[in-house]
Amino acid sequence: MRRRRGPRSAYDRVVVVGAGRAGVAAAEELRRAGFRGEVRVLGDEPSAPYDRPACSKGLLTGHRRPSDVRMPVLDGAEIDWHLGRRAVHLDPDARIVTTDTGERFGYDGLVIATGARTALPRDWPVGEPGLHTLRTLADAWALRGALRDAQRVVVIGAGLTGCEVASAVRTLARDCVLVDSSPYVLGRAVGETVGRLVTREVARDGVQLRLGRRVTGLNRRRRGWLVELDDGDELLADLVVTTTGERPDVDWLDGTGIDISDGVRCDESLRVLGVEGVVAAGTVARWPNLRYSARPRRCAQWIAALQQGRAAAHTLLAGDREVPPVTVVPRFWSDQYGLRIQVCGELPEHAEVMVTELRPGRRDVARAGVLVGYHDDGRLVGLVAVNAPHAFTSITRSMLATTTVTVPAPAAAPVTATAAVPAAAPAARRLAEAS
């Protein structure tokens, strides 16, 4: 018999629950690390793994088809795919995952990467024709078909997904109304400064904005929908798309003893607290990202999910051995209304904000190019760029090269240690002077 190669591991069978970006990354990384045991991936959708951010982009406008957004998987990885199976129960003592098909999957090591699910008010008529959510590939394709005959669309929620949907609707020459309780769009994603600048461009594109308003009623009519707002205004629409929020997909972990109060509670290396042989990654994981804070939080971004999935695989294979903390830098981008929006790092409310206009004097600041840096104690911790891709890339290289770890002190406030590399703040100032 040939001896197995690769790292010594106590595991022969690893089950990955979740076939999104984090789950696939974890399965691939197990093979890259030399793990030769069984790797089984359970996915609740019947389709092959795909690029979820594409659901609110090219799929809606018809520029891309479902086959165009499939996620490439490592060649020769020898992964056993079990798609169309939703995990409904975990027995951590027996180490068994049960699915809605009644199948039981035993494991030695487990990766939880179930992501999040759409969260809607209980009194909304979910399932009625013309009311759409946008979470899965099937959701996106159904909405694409419905948009063909629609003339007026109401989008509830002006976050990243909601604004991308509204942009796609306008690209198709449909009337669009965007509703959100915030006074500006993209507030959580890009901060107030850029949010207000982008709001002007959204309105200039022809989207009818109902900002600072909440939906109080959603009623199906003989033809279309009636959306009632808290100021008494009523909106008529052929279609309603809600992108109001999501919650971690953790119901199947109820009763396991795992802290699932806001996702799956993990340590700094993504080990799930309270159980053995289990790690978590992606949107569902709540862990202390010591690059920024010792407070456990979730990060719902594609690049972070990729990095967490890979890191979780190494943590799992390490067993009880000490591994480095997982310190990812949140990053994402979006193209909408002719704007290239890019974000790197965190955007704390208490940070000092520095705005750099690439073409000072232009009234359309966002379209002309702008950089907004967020500084905390003199350190650049977040950067938002609009139509400034080259400057964004240059500065983020410095941000990514800066290694920062926040170590929880036993009695007082956290102590921050930063590697001796050039800080990104001077780069932002040089850019401001050059422009």
Side-chain angles (χ1 to χ4, degrees), residues 57 158-168 171 178 185-186 198 201-202 205 332-341 367 386-387:
K57 296 180 173 67
L160 187 64
T161 300
C163 284
E164 287 183 342
V165 171
S167 179
T171 299
L178 190 58
V185 304
L186 297 176
V198 175
E201 300 304 318
V202 175
D205 192 75
F332 68 90
W333 62 270
S334 177
D335 287 329
Q336 48 184 273
Y337 313 102
L339 305 176
R340 176 77 169 187
I341 301 172
R367 197 167 297 280
V386 184
N387 283 2

Side-chain angles (χ1 to χ4, degrees), residues 17-81:
V17 183
R21 178 64 279 179
V24 173
E28 292 176 320
E29 196 65 17
L30 287 170
R31 292 309 191 199
R32 288 195 185 97
F35 178 70
R36 296 299 183 90
E38 295 180 359
V39 177
R40 293 181 172 181
V41 178
L42 312 183
D44 60 350
E45 297 181 54
S47 57
Y50 60 90
D51 181 11
R52 192 177 299 277
C55 290
S56 58
K57 296 180 173 67
L59 283 174
L60 297 186
T61 59
H63 290 93
R64 305 180 76 181
R65 299 181 62 83
S67 58
D68 300 328
V69 300
R70 289 178 180 171
M71 191 184 305
V73 179
L74 181 66
D75 291 337
E78 296 184 3
I79 298 172
D80 295 330
W81 301 95

Side-chain angles (χ1 to χ4, degrees), residues 102-370:
E103 296 170 276
R104 292 158 57 90
F105 294 87
Y107 67 86
D108 300 314
L110 177 66
V111 180
I112 299 176
T114 45
R117 303 187 69 80
T118 302
L120 297 177
R122 294 182 178 180
D123 58 343
W124 283 18
V126 178
E128 288 288 333
L131 176 59
H132 293 262
T133 58
L134 191 56
R135 180 66 189 168
T136 67
L137 184 64
D139 293 339
W141 199 240
L143 177 57
R144 167 64 185 131
L147 285 172
R148 296 172 183 170
D149 299 322
Q151 294 300 319
R152 182 176 173 85
V153 180
V154 169
V155 179
I156 303 174
L160 187 64
T161 300
C163 284
E164 287 183 342
V165 171
S167 179
V169 171
R170 290 297 301 149
T171 299
L172 296 171
R174 272 57 171 178
D175 293 334
C176 183
V177 184
L178 190 58
V179 182
D180 197 277
S181 59
S182 175
Y184 47 87
V185 304
L186 297 176
R188 294 183 180 179
V190 302
E192 179 177 356
T193 302
V194 172
R196 292 189 181 279
L197 293 174
V198 175
T199 299
R200 300 174 190 171
E201 300 304 318
V202 175
R204 185 176 289 116
D205 192 75
V207 177
Q208 302 173 44
L209 298 176
R210 297 292 188 273
L211 301 179
R213 300 270 67 90
R214 296 182 181 274
V215 175
T216 57
L218 191 59
N219 301 291
R220 173 74 174 165
R221 292 297 182 92
R222 183 177 180 182
R223 293 184 178 179
W225 289 84
L226 177 66
V227 182
E228 301 173 354
L229 305 183
D230 57 358
D231 62 350
D233 196 7
E234 296 181 342
L235 308 174
L236 295 175
D238 300 310
L239 294 179
V240 175
V241 184
T242 176
T243 62
T244 51
E246 60 184 24
R247 60 181 180 84
D249 189 356
V250 294
D251 291 347
W252 65 287
L253 299 172
D254 191 25
T256 60
I258 298 174
D259 181 353
I260 55 173
S261 54
D262 179 28
V264 176
R265 177 72 167 87
C266 306
D267 69 6
E268 64 275 9
S269 300
L270 297 177
R271 290 187 177 97
V272 176
L273 299 180
V275 292
E276 294 183 357
V278 183
V279 295
T283 303
V284 75
R286 178 166 58 96
W287 97 112
N289 185 352
L290 298 183
R291 186 181 182 96
Y292 300 103
S293 170
R295 181 171 64 89
R297 288 177 291 175
R298 295 187 299 112
C299 183
Q301 294 175 2
W302 191 91
I303 296 177
L306 171 67
Q307 296 176 329
Q308 287 181 19
R310 292 173 175 173
H314 288 282
T315 296
L316 186 66
L317 293 179
D320 295 332
R321 298 192 303 273
E322 185 176 346
V323 292
V326 179
T327 56
V328 303
V329 180
R331 307 195 298 281
F332 68 90
W333 62 270
S334 177
D335 287 329
Q336 48 184 273
Y337 313 102
L339 305 176
R340 176 77 169 187
I341 301 172
Q342 297 168 284
V343 180
C344 178
E346 293 199 341
L347 315 177
E349 294 182 357
H350 63 272
E352 178 186 359
V353 179
M354 177 183 293
V355 180
T356 302
E357 297 182 17
L358 300 190
R359 296 178 177 81
R362 287 270 297 265
R363 296 182 60 184
D364 52 346
V365 177
R367 197 167 297 280
V370 63

Side-chain angles (χ1 to χ4, degrees), residues 382-421:
L383 179 68
V384 184
V386 184
N387 283 2
H390 297 296
F392 176 85
T393 300
S394 176
I395 298 175
T396 53
R397 284 175 180 167
S398 178
M399 294 176 65
L400 295 173
T402 304
T403 303
T404 303
V405 177
T406 301
V407 182
V415 179
T416 301
T418 305
V421 295

